[in-house]
Amino acid sequence: MVVDSPSDTARRAIIVGGSTSGLLAAALLRRRGWQVDVFERSPVELEGRGAGIVCHSELLEALEESGAGTNAIGIEVGERLAFDESGTVIGRRPFPQTVTSWDRLYQLVRRIVPDSYYHLDHTLAAIEQDAAGVRAIFENGRSVEGELLIGADGFRSTVRQQFLPAITPQYSGYLIWRGLADEAALQPDIRDAVFDRFTFHFPQGAEVLGYPIAGKNNDLRKGNRRYNWVWYRRASEADLDAMLTDATGRYHPMGISPTFIREEVIASMRAAARTAIAPQLLHVLEKIERPFFTPIYDLLSPQFTFGRVALIGDAAVVARPHVGYGTTKAAGDALSLARALEADRGDLSAALQRYQAERYGIGEQCFYRGRQLGAWISGAPPRTAREREEAEELHSVAGILRHVASGEFLQM
Ligand SMILES: Cc1cc2nc3c(=O)[nH]c(=O)nc-3n(C[C@H](O)[C@H](O)[C@H](O)COP(=O)(O)OP(=O)(O)OC[C@H]3O[C@@H](n4cnc5c(N)ncnc54)[C@H](O)[C@@H]3O)c2cc1C
């Protein structure tokens, strides 16, 4: 059944977290007749950190089924290339894929959830539940009741912490530097070398890569696009703490906003890049006004459901970005949950069990494959015979071109 506006007798869901997974879950449930309210901590509409997202079929399916659609979603890339430190091509693989930006995805799903059901400036403080229902209590004093609560509140999920306080994100030992260069700012020969493809370089213990995304205001026209540049680099916990400290000496343990990153931290990264990175990808970095970094964390919740509560997206599992599957996994979680609720209409417990049974294995696979793909950056030794066996394939140039952000591990 597909309906666009909930009736007075509709089942009620509370969604905590108004980013991609929360919005998709809201749209998918609304289309099944639920009344859904989304509560987002941010006091203002979310804004992209301006980075890229690789699209896999499950993401496109969720967008279509939610009513958001996939119109002008992104850019088609045709192949993958690897450079060595001198810029010589040392690997090439045909690999058609669609790449998009976080902003585009957010725009597509945000516009189909009416403002009257999307509540900014609501930070969840606690959850209470019993046989009759579930209640969300917010820091601003408001409390809301429903039949179901969905925790779509990201890797530091307050919802998860309430049930599993011991499960916390673990720092991987490395971080990701990122930024966007305008296509028009690139030298023509470099633009031709990197555009319309994924490009890679593997300096010792690191990984640099890039791919095109839309320009400002989702401009997909040639010449107006941007190149999404990424450098995974190791950083000790002590170095990370220093990097998370701003120019006034304030420490940002939950992540530092790009504007607060100290100039000398960026300058030191740029200086290291000059002797480490293939010339094509170095040129892209030089055209990025303000690169920023995000630490890479691991998180696998041992349980996705707790009574009337379900976790989706990063709140349930964080897949390191090497799998390029985080947003697709989040969309797949939302889709699976909505379908389970439709199939087991009226029996919430059966629906949530069905959801967990369907998604736990996928989340686990994303989690482990992400860790394996990143192991040569973190320096973590293989833990099992299988990991030892796979390491050689996953950490070769051909293997990386084949496995990074490919989604193939789920078909194996
Ligand atoms: C603003 C923003 C920009 C992003 N940009 C990129 C990008 O450019 N590239 C990329 O690969 N990934 C990006 N991500 C991450 C990406 O969206 C997620 O990893 C993935 O899509 C899974 O999404 P999610 O909705 O599960 O979690 P998230 O996207 O992390 O969203 C969680 C949401 O929950 C909210 N929240 C947290 N705690 C509470 C609380 N107690 N009460 C209420 N709300 C709460 C947060 O404010 C956030 O909006 C971004 C995330 C955000 C929030």
Side-chain angles (χ1 to χ4, degrees), residues 107-268:
Q107 282 164 10
L108 281 172
V109 281
R110 177 65 187 89
R111 72 187 163 83
I112 56 165
V113 175
D115 290 350
S116 49
Y117 296 105
Y118 188 81
H119 312 277
L120 291 168
D121 209 4
H122 279 72
T123 302
L124 180 82
I127 299 168
E128 290 169 357
Q129 59 174 324
D130 58 25
V134 57
R135 178 183 296 120
I137 300 154
F138 296 92
E139 285 181 2
N140 59 16
R142 186 166 172 196
S143 88
V144 184
E145 286 172 17
E147 175 183 342
L148 164 72
L149 185 145
I150 300 175
D153 52 345
F155 76 112
R156 293 195 193 277
S157 168
T158 311
V159 176
R160 189 191 63 243
Q161 274 164 27
Q162 168 142 352
F163 300 99
L164 299 170
I167 303 297
T168 53
Q170 300 298 307
Y171 177 52
S172 66
Y174 61 96
L175 45 84
I176 178 175
W177 276 99
R178 301 189 268 175
L180 295 171
D182 287 337
E183 181 175 7
L186 300 181
Q187 241 170 250
D189 58 327
I190 305 267
R191 185 199 56 217
D192 294 346
V194 300
F195 254 84
D196 295 344
R197 48 176 72 98
F198 246 103
T199 58
F200 292 84
H201 173 222
F202 314 109
Q204 187 58 35
E207 187 171 309
V208 191
L209 62 91
Y211 53 89
I213 67 164
K216 289 192 183 90
N217 303 319
N218 201 42
D219 196 334
L220 294 168
R221 290 170 304 166
K222 227 174 173 153
N224 296 2
R225 300 167 298 176
R226 294 172 292 181
Y227 205 70
N228 176 48
W229 174 94
V230 162
W231 185 11
Y232 295 102
R233 283 191 90 191
R234 229 177 262 183
S236 68
E237 298 222 14
D239 286 347
L240 176 63
D241 283 351
M243 293 170 78
L244 291 171
T245 304
D246 68 24
T248 69
R250 201 169 123 225
Y251 175 48
H252 301 256
M254 300 301 182
I256 188 163
S257 137
T259 46
F260 285 124
I261 299 174
R262 279 177 293 125
E263 295 302 332
E264 61 262 40
V265 172
I266 299 174
S268 146

Side-chain angles (χ1 to χ4, degrees), residues 6 27 42 53 104 126 145 148 167 198 205 217 240 257 260 292 301 305 307 310 323 332 345 364 393 404 411:
S42 169
I53 307 264
R104 180 61 184 152
E145 286 172 17
L148 164 72
I167 303 297
F198 246 103
N217 303 319
L240 176 63
S257 137
F260 285 124
F292 63 98
S301 174
T305 64
V323 281
R345 199 174 163 79
E364 208 178 18
E393 158 72 2
V404 163
Q411 278 101 57

Side-chain angles (χ1 to χ4, degrees), residues 54 56 80 95 97 172 174-175 198 200-209 230 232-234 296 298 318-326 364-383 386-410 412:
V54 179
H56 300 279
R80 297 175 166 202
F95 209 134
Q97 273 185 310
S172 66
Y174 61 96
L175 45 84
F198 246 103
F200 292 84
H201 173 222
F202 314 109
Q204 187 58 35
E207 187 171 309
V208 191
L209 62 91
V230 162
Y232 295 102
R233 283 191 90 191
R234 229 177 262 183
I296 302 289
D298 287 325
V318 175
R320 289 190 196 173
H322 314 290
V323 281
Y325 214 81
E364 208 178 18
Q365 284 183 67
C366 292
F367 174 82
Y368 285 113
R369 179 47 71 101
R371 259 198 354 198
Q372 275 171 283
L373 283 168
W376 72 313
I377 306 170
S378 65
R383 271 162 276 223
R386 180 161 173 210
E387 280 189 17
R388 229 180 337 272
E389 244 170 57
E390 288 183 346
E392 207 176 313
E393 158 72 2
L394 292 182
H395 304 156
S396 65
V397 170
I400 292 173
L401 292 189
R402 186 147 130 227
H403 296 288
V404 163
S406 69
E408 48 61 54
F409 64 100
L410 288 172
M412 284 164 72

